[in-house]
Amino acid sequence: MIVKPFAIILTGLMFLSAGCQSISIVPETGTCTASTPVNPAFSRSDALTRAMEDLVQQAGVPGCALAVYSETEGWWEYAAGFARIEDQTTMQPCHQHFLQSISKTYMAVGILRLYEQGKLSLDAPFSQYLPERYHKYLPDTEKITVRMLLNHTSGLPEYNFAAAYVTQLLQHPDRVFSPEEYLGFIKGKALDFEPGSKYAYRNTNYLLLALIADALTGDHVRYLREHIFMPLGLTHTFYRETPDYLNTPDLVNSYWDRYGDGQVENVTAMQRTNVSTLIGDDGIITSPAEAVLFLKGLIGGQLLADSTLSLMKTWVHDSKGNPAYGLGLDYSTIADQPCWGHSGGGIGAGCELYYFPAQQVYVFFTINLGAVTESPIHQRAGTARKSLYKALLE
C-alpha cells in the first residue's frame, strides 16, 4: 500500500504495542539554535503561520514544525506548540524529529550509490548480495531483484504483519529486536504475489536492503553518514551512530491520543525504543531544515547522477493504475499538485517530505503526535494540514 499522509507506515501493529501502558519520559531541556537563514519577507508566511497555529490551538496537536525552501523565495521555517509538554519546552524550528519511513529514501540513495560504484546490479537477484545466514528466512529469493526491493514489488511478506511479532510487542513493549529476529517472523511464509507483478509497500524490503549494504560496505550506518550526511553538511541528522543516539535533548517528546478522546499521553520511551530497533526502513532523526537539505541535495544532483535520479522516478503503479512508488521515492498528489518524496508515521510522530516540481518548492512538515489512530484531533489536524498546503502551493 502507499501510505497516506500522517497514516502509519509501521502498520497498525505498532498501535497495538503502544497501547500496553502509559510511559512518561522528559529528557533534559535542549538549547538548540536555528542556523538556516530565513527570508523575513516570505510571501506566504502569514497564511502558513495561521495554519500551523491552528494545528495546535484548534486541532490540539502537541507541537508541529515546518521547513520550506522555494527556488524563488528561499528559506522559511516555523514551529508551534510544545516539543515537550511536561516542562513547557516550546517547539522550535531547530528541534529534531523522527523521520520514520522517510528514512527509506536515505537507504535507497545509499543502495543507488553502491549501484553507481558498480558494487551491485539492480536487476540481479538480491540474494547474490545478502549473506547466506539470512537466506533460510526468505522464500524464492532467486526471483527477486534489488530493484524489486527498492520499489516494493518483491512479493515478500511483511514482518510486522506476523501474529507472533504482535504477541511479543504486547508482552514486551520495551524489547529491542535484531534484524534476524524480524526475518524470523516471516520464516516459512510464501510470497504474497509473484515478484514484479504488483506493488505492495513492505518494510521487509528495506530491512533487507540495509543488510545488503552492510555486507557490501561493512557498515551501512557509516556508509550513509559518509556518502549522504557528510557531503550535504547534515550535522543534526543521526542514525544509529551509538546505541543511545536517540537520547538527545533536542529530540522532541512523542505523544498519542490512545483512546481517541482528545487526551494525549506521553509515549516517548515507547517511541524511542521502537525506532532504535528499526534498520533500513526507519530510524533517522533530523531537524526540519536538514530534512529539506537532504531532498534538495538529492533532487539537485548532489548525491546521484541524473540518470540514477531518473531511475528513482520510474514509478510503479498501484491497483488503480496510478503512479505510486519509484526507487525509494513515492509519487503523491497534495492540494492537487504532484510531488515526489516520502511520508512517515509511528507511535508518536507523523511527517512528510516532498518536492513540488511545478512550484519548485521543498517542504518538510511534522507533528509530534502519533499517526496510528483516528481521533477528533487527527480529523481537525487534517483540516489544518489542507489549509497549510493550500497556503503554500496556490
Side-chain angles (χ1 to χ4, degrees):
M1 64 179 179
I2 187 69
V3 179
K4 301 298 184 183
F6 294 149
I8 180 93
I9 286 182
L10 302 180
T11 79
L13 305 185
M14 297 294 114
F15 155 68
L16 295 173
S17 72
C20 302
Q21 56 185 313
S22 176
I23 300 174
S24 180
I25 179 172
V26 185
E28 177 186 353
T29 301
T31 56
C32 70
T33 56
S35 58
T36 304
V38 173
N39 177 7
F42 195 84
S43 63
R44 301 168 187 265
S45 61
D46 289 346
L48 289 171
T49 297
R50 286 194 297 271
M52 295 286 283
E53 292 294 342
D54 282 349
L55 273 165
V56 175
Q57 298 174 14
Q58 304 299 324
V61 170
C64 56
L66 175 72
V68 175
Y69 180 80
S70 164
E71 296 288 358
T72 57
E73 293 196 71
W75 285 95
W76 191 80
E77 291 185 281
Y78 193 75
F82 293 107
R84 288 184 287 277
I85 295 172
E86 294 76 13
D87 61 6
Q88 300 289 282
T89 297
T90 301
M91 185 78 82
Q92 301 174 61
C94 52
H95 274 114
Q96 292 169 313
H97 298 267
F98 297 94
L99 284 187
Q100 306 287 174
S101 277
I102 295 173
S103 302
K104 289 182 174 68
T105 306
Y106 293 68
M107 188 70 251
V109 171
I111 291 292
L112 291 170
R113 287 292 297 255
L114 293 170
Y115 157 74
E116 289 185 341
Q117 294 165 1
K119 295 182 178 179
L120 60 75
S121 168
L122 296 180
D123 295 313
F126 80 90
S127 55
Q128 179 176 325
Y129 310 106
L130 187 72
E132 184 68 31
R133 68 179 182 274
Y134 299 122
H135 289 200
K136 62 185 177 183
Y137 299 106
L138 304 164
D140 300 312
T141 55
E142 73 284 353
K143 297 181 178 181
I144 302 167
T145 66
V146 175
R147 189 190 303 269
M148 291 173 187
L149 296 180
L150 284 164
N151 65 15
H152 297 295
T153 61
S154 70
L156 286 168
E158 175 63 283
Y159 70 79
N160 63 15
F161 287 175
Y165 179 49
V166 180
T167 300
Q168 293 201 35
L169 284 173
L170 288 170
Q171 294 174 348
H172 307 284
D174 58 348
R175 178 179 173 181
V176 175
F177 293 92
S178 71
E180 199 154 357
E181 286 176 311
Y182 283 133
L183 294 178
F185 292 116
I186 63 172
K187 186 177 181 181
K189 295 183 181 296
L191 292 174
D192 290 341
F193 52 84
E194 184 67 19
S197 66
K198 60 185 290 188
Y199 163 76
Y201 188 96
R202 296 289 185 265
N203 291 289
T204 304
N205 295 323
Y206 277 73
L207 166 62
L208 291 169
L209 289 169
L211 297 177
I212 288 170
D214 269 340
L216 294 178
T217 68
D219 181 356
H220 84 279
V221 172
R222 184 187 68 244
Y223 188 82
L224 295 186
R225 183 168 65 250
E226 292 177 352
H227 290 267
I228 299 176
F229 300 177
M230 292 174 64
L232 294 178
L234 306 182
T235 59
H236 292 83
T237 301
F238 300 99
Y239 171 60
R240 302 182 65 83
E241 285 84 357
T242 63
D244 63 346
Y245 79 105
L246 296 179
N247 293 328
T248 169
D250 291 341
L251 181 59
V252 300
N253 270 8
S254 299
Y255 302 93
W256 182 38
D257 182 6
R258 187 203 312 216
Y259 300 109
D261 59 2
Q263 302 298 310
V264 299
E265 58 188 278
N266 188 318
V267 289
T268 301
M270 176 72 73
Q271 169 77 0
R272 295 189 182 193
T273 297
N274 178 243
V275 169
S276 71
T277 292
L278 300 169
I279 297 175
D281 56 341
D282 199 318
I284 296 176
I285 59 170
T286 192
S287 66
E290 288 202 355
V292 169
L293 281 171
F294 163 71
L295 189 58
K296 184 173 178 289
L298 174 60
I299 300 299
Q302 293 178 259
L303 297 175
L304 298 172
D306 289 346
S307 58
T308 309
L309 182 59
S310 293
L311 292 177
M312 292 191 80
K313 295 184 290 183
T314 302
W315 314 112
V316 295
H317 293 74
D318 61 20
S319 59
K320 297 180 180 179
N322 299 314
Y325 208 90
L327 305 186
L329 287 175
D330 83 43
Y331 181 101
S332 294
T333 302
I334 300 177
D336 296 322
Q337 298 297 321
C339 54
W340 318 319
H342 220 291
S343 62
I347 297 165
C351 52
E352 297 173 321
L353 176 62
Y354 284 105
Y355 172 63
F356 294 84
Q359 292 79 12
Q360 294 185 297
V361 166
Y362 300 84
V363 59
F364 177 73
F365 175 42
T366 186
I367 60 176
N368 61 344
L369 179 71
V372 297
T373 58
E374 286 293 332
S375 76
I377 294 179
H378 292 88
Q379 293 167 8
R380 294 191 296 267
T383 300
R385 172 186 169 276
K386 289 180 181 178
S387 296
L388 185 150
Y389 280 109
K390 181 177 180 180
L392 179 64
L393 300 171
E394 293 186 353

